[in-house]
């Protein structure tokens, strides 16, 4: 009997030990599986970290290479001699996008819609932007007579270095005569090396395809037709120059190639502009003659150009400048005196005039002009 109890106890103990062993084996298997999963996750995480590290190192190398390239190009550009700054622009390359400022021309001239890029043919200078003032000078050949050197000497030399740094003078050669273009380029390279190197002086050449075919037809007509053609082209020359200058500066000052400037003229202009309390002005007149010495806000230039292009065949540009105020500021049936008074508030006259007309030989062949600004 006692042996029977011992056998039962032994069997029970064996069963308990077997059950415990099974439990332990089960737990160990589960734990082993979890450990394997954990190890796989760690390996996967390690792979991702290694990939991210490699990608970061690659990006750092690319960034360092890009910065080195930019630094090298800036150094090369800084050390580039003036005679290498000149470059030819491919105006007919349709793979390049043109400046948005010139797109307005395609609305008025259908022949330009086939042109991929509207931009000056030649640029000498550094295409300076982000300045306060852009000064535009349009020039054409006057035969054996030229006033451009005198004009540039006057305009450029009467700026301080800080004023020169905050401005850009743009000479626009609006003449198809290659000899005249070369003479202008050679003269400026010789006389104004420092200004070219600093980027404060540029020369552009208007592409021949810009002008409509009707303009070339009129040139072969009689004298009255040639005069009309000359006036039309002059309006278009100014429009192209204004569009080119617009993105460069806050203000645009229109000059001509046969004027001289007063001493300290630029200081007087900047002081006057900065001291104007109202920003409602449309332009400031620093000379009473024609289109000389007219200062515009660059943000308004596109509106002016649009108006000029609507009526470029009808009147000279200085008369169109008067007309635009009549259209914008004078109400139908309004008392002319009220309109004139309102115009004075947005068309500001500065006295004394800061620019004087000195040219006698007109850009129109065989014509002489002796107009002078009496307030200079």
């Amino acid at each position: 009997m006692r042996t029977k109890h011992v056998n039962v106890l032994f069997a029970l103990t064996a069963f308990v030990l077997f059950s415990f062993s099974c439990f332990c084996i089960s737990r160990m298997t589960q734990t082993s599986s979890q450990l394997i999963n954990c190890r796989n996750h760690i390996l996967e995480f390690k792979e991702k970290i290694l990939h991210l590290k490699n990608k970061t190192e690659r990006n750092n190398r690319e960034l360092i290479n890009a910065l080195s390239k930019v630094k090298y190009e800036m150094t090369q550009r800084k050390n580039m001699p003036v005679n290498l700054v000149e470059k030819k622009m491919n105006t007919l390359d349709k793979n390049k996008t043109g400046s948005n400022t010139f797109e307005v021309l395609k609305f008025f001239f259908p022949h330009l819609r086939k042109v991929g890029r509207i931009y000056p043919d030649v640029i000498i200078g550094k295409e300076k932007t982000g300045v306060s003032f852009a000064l535009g000078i349009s020039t054409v050949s006057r035969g054996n007579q030229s006033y451009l050197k005198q004009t540039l000497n006057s305009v450029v030399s009467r700026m301080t270095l800080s004023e020169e740094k905050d401005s850009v003078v743009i000479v626009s050669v609006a003449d198809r005569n290659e000899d005249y273009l070369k003479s202008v380029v050679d003269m400026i390279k010789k006389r104004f090396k420092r200004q070219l190197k600093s980027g404060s002086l540029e020369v552009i050449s208007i592409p021949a395809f810009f002008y409509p075919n009707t303009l070339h037809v009129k040139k072969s007509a009689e004298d009255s037709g040639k005069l009309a053609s000359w006036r039309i082209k002059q309006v278009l020359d100014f429009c192209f120059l204004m569009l080119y200058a617009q993105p460069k500066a806050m203000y645009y000052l229109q000059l001509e190639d046969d004027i001289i400037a007063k001493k300290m003229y630029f200081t007087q202009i900047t002081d006057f502009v900065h001291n104007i309390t109202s920003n409602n002005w449309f332009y400031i007149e620093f000379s009473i003659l024609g289109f000389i010495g007219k200062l515009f806000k660059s943000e308004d230039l596109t509106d002016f150009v649009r108006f000029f292009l609507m009526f470029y065949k009808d009147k000279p540009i200085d008369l169109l400048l008067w007309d635009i105020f009549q259209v914008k500021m004078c109400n139908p049936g309004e008392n002319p005196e009220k309109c004139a008074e309102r115009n004075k508030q947005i068309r500001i006259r500065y006295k004394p005039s800061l620019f004087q007309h000195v040219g006698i030989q007109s850009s129109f062949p065989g014509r002489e002009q002796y107009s002078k600004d009496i307030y200079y």
Side-chain angles (χ1 to χ4, degrees):
M1 185 71 180
R2 187 174 179 178
T3 302
K4 184 178 180 181
H5 283 297
V6 171
N7 291 336
V8 171
L9 181 61
F10 179 79
L12 181 62
T13 301
F15 176 77
V16 170
L17 288 173
F18 178 77
S19 298
F20 180 72
S21 299
C22 290
F23 173 76
C24 288
I25 291 171
S26 175
R27 292 295 296 174
M28 287 177 66
T29 302
Q30 186 177 0
T31 302
S32 176
S33 177
Q34 289 178 345
L35 287 173
I36 292 172
N37 289 336
C38 182
R39 180 170 174 270
N40 291 337
H41 282 304
I42 290 173
L43 290 174
E44 184 180 353
F45 179 73
K46 186 177 179 181
E47 267 186 46
K48 289 183 178 179
I49 291 296
L50 184 62
H51 176 72
L52 183 61
K53 180 183 177 183
N54 292 335
K55 185 176 181 181
T56 301
E57 289 178 351
R58 186 169 62 253
N59 289 341
N60 284 338
R61 287 195 301 270
E62 290 176 356
L63 181 59
I64 291 171
N65 290 336
L67 290 175
S68 299
K69 185 177 180 181
V70 170
K71 185 176 179 180
Y72 173 77
E73 289 179 352
M74 289 177 67
T75 303
Q76 290 295 99
R77 187 178 180 92
K78 183 178 180 181
N79 297 329
M80 188 181 299
V82 174
N83 62 346
L84 293 181
V85 177
E86 181 178 351
K87 60 182 178 178
K88 188 80 173 177
M89 301 297 294
N90 185 0
T91 56
L92 296 177
D93 187 351
K94 295 185 179 181
N95 294 323
K96 295 181 180 180
T97 56
S99 173
N100 288 334
T101 55
F102 289 100
E103 290 301 302
V104 65
L105 297 174
K106 295 184 179 181
F107 178 80
F108 295 94
F109 302 116
H111 73 281
L112 295 179
R113 296 169 193 169
K114 300 178 182 179
V115 178
R117 179 178 170 85
I118 304 174
Y119 210 68
D121 273 341
V122 178
I123 296 179
I124 303 175
K126 294 189 176 180
E127 300 181 70
K128 190 175 180 181
T129 59
V131 295
S132 295
F133 292 88
L135 292 71
I137 300 174
S138 181
T139 184
V140 295
S141 173
R142 299 171 187 256
N144 295 327
Q145 183 66 56
S146 176
Y147 307 97
L148 181 60
K149 185 194 301 183
Q150 180 184 9
T151 296
L152 284 176
N153 276 327
S154 173
V155 169
V156 172
S157 66
R158 290 174 178 175
M159 290 183 184
T160 65
L161 289 178
S162 61
E163 290 169 347
E164 185 180 302
K165 186 177 180 180
D166 195 31
S167 63
V168 56
V169 178
I170 307 163
V171 177
S172 175
V173 181
D175 200 305
R176 298 178 65 183
N177 186 329
E178 292 291 333
D179 291 336
Y180 181 68
L181 174 60
K182 185 178 183 303
S183 69
V184 170
V185 171
D186 291 344
M187 180 271 291
I188 289 178
K189 281 183 177 181
K190 181 179 179 181
R191 298 276 181 173
F192 303 99
K193 290 182 180 179
R194 181 176 61 80
Q195 288 80 8
L196 285 177
K197 188 174 182 180
S198 69
S200 60
L201 179 60
E202 296 183 8
V203 181
I204 68 171
S205 176
I206 301 178
F209 69 79
F210 162 61
Y211 301 100
N213 291 331
T214 54
L215 186 62
H216 302 304
V217 171
K218 284 189 175 183
K219 283 188 176 181
S220 62
E222 56 186 16
D223 289 345
S224 60
K226 290 180 180 179
L227 180 59
S229 177
W230 172 76
R231 286 174 174 166
I232 289 172
K233 181 180 176 297
Q234 191 177 61
V235 176
L236 299 181
D237 293 343
F238 283 125
C239 288
F240 194 96
L241 177 54
M242 293 169 85
L243 290 176
Y244 176 76
Q246 183 185 34
K248 291 178 169 292
M250 291 179 59
Y251 304 100
Y252 174 73
L253 179 65
Q254 181 65 63
L255 301 174
E256 293 186 6
D257 65 344
D258 58 348
I259 58 99
I260 57 171
K262 273 192 173 180
K263 292 181 179 179
M264 303 291 291
Y265 80 96
F266 201 87
T267 303
Q268 294 181 60
I269 289 175
T270 53
D271 289 345
F272 187 75
V273 171
H274 293 154
N275 289 327
I276 293 178
T277 56
S278 172
N279 197 41
N280 293 330
W281 56 273
F282 222 21
Y283 81 73
I284 303 173
E285 202 172 22
F286 292 98
S287 170
I288 63 169
L289 295 178
F291 210 45
I292 298 171
K294 306 302 186 286
L295 182 77
F296 305 88
K297 287 177 282 190
S298 292
E299 62 187 26
D300 295 333
L301 287 179
T302 302
D303 288 338
F304 280 103
V305 169
R306 285 195 184 105
F307 188 85
F308 296 152
L309 292 178
M310 279 192 289
F311 303 103
Y312 74 95
K313 297 179 182 178
D314 302 314
K315 292 183 179 181
I317 198 165
D318 53 327
L319 298 184
L320 291 177
L321 188 60
W322 167 260
D323 290 343
I324 192 173
F325 291 101
Q326 296 295 108
V327 172
K328 292 181 72 70
M329 302 306 300
C330 298
N331 300 321
E334 182 181 30
N335 187 326
E337 294 180 357
K338 288 185 178 180
C339 178
E341 187 62 31
R342 192 159 57 250
N343 277 344
K344 288 181 182 178
Q345 298 174 7
I346 61 171
R347 301 174 61 194
I348 302 174
R349 270 281 294 121
Y350 180 90
K351 292 182 181 180
S353 295
L354 299 180
F355 303 98
Q356 181 61 285
H357 180 258
V358 295
I360 296 177
Q361 175 59 54
S362 170
S363 57
F364 182 71
R367 185 179 181 184
E368 295 183 350
Q369 51 189 11
Y370 297 88
S371 55
K372 298 292 181 182
D373 190 327
I374 61 174
Y375 297 103
Y376 179 77

